[in-house]
């Protein structure tokens, strides 16, 4: 009887650890970001506030490879600032450690006077 309870406990513990690992992976693999448009992070582009390309690139680098089993490590550059207008898109370029490049589409989801919510695709 106690062997059976032990096995049930082990199976339950393994299942719980797997579920927690899956939840952490899901939460850390998000590609959406909200960034403030303050005097340090923004520029004016075509008369509108825009997020500096270095800020966008840095955030993508941090989120592209948050865990060893999620995404791949890349060095990112963005061609221009990300204008604070919903629907705006730019394509950044990522360079992997092996020298290959990857196109990274970036889209503005929501824009206010003080912040910008945007996402990228892996």
């Amino acid at each position: 009887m106690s062997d059976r309870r032990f096995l049930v406990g082990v199976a339950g513990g393994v299942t719980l650890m797997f579920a927690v690992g899956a939840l952490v992976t899901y939460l850390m693999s998000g590609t959406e970001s909200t960034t403030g448009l303050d005097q340090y992070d923004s520029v004016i582009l075509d008369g509108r506030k825009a997020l500096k390309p270095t800020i966008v690139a840095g955030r993508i680098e941090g989120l592209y490879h948050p865990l060893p089993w999620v995404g791949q490590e890349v060095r990112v550059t963005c061609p221009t600032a990300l204008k604070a207008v919903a629907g705006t898109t730019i394509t950044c370029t990522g360079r992997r450690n092996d020298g290959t490049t990857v196109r990274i589409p970036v889209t503005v989801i929501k824009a206010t006077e003080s912040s910008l919510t945007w996402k990228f695709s892996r």
Side-chain angles (χ1 to χ4, degrees):
M1 181 72 165
S2 67
D3 286 342
R4 181 183 169 115
R5 289 196 327 220
F6 174 76
L7 290 176
V8 168
V10 167
V14 168
T15 302
L16 178 64
M17 286 176 42
F18 178 77
V20 168
L23 178 63
V24 167
T25 298
Y26 173 76
L27 293 174
M28 293 193 71
S29 67
T31 62
E32 188 173 306
S33 183
T34 299
T35 309
L37 292 171
D38 60 23
Q39 63 185 6
Y40 305 107
D41 297 335
S42 66
V43 295
I44 301 298
L45 180 66
D46 297 332
R48 306 286 305 247
K49 280 190 174 180
L51 191 58
K52 289 181 179 177
T54 54
I55 302 297
V56 175
R59 186 67 58 88
I60 291 172
E61 283 181 10
L63 293 174
Y64 204 88
H65 183 63
L67 297 169
W69 56 91
V70 177
Q72 294 182 348
E73 191 170 342
V74 293
R75 289 281 159 218
V76 179
T77 57
C78 297
T80 185
L82 186 59
K83 197 181 328 183
V85 176
T88 297
T89 61
I90 62 172
T91 301
C92 297
T93 302
R95 184 170 303 279
R96 296 184 177 128
N97 290 337
D98 64 4
T100 59
T101 59
V102 60
R103 295 170 50 88
I104 305 170
V106 180
T107 305
V108 175
I109 299 168
K110 178 183 171 189
T112 67
E113 185 62 28
S114 60
S115 70
L116 183 64
T117 301
W118 54 279
K119 68 178 181 175
F120 68 91
S121 299
R122 274 194 188 91

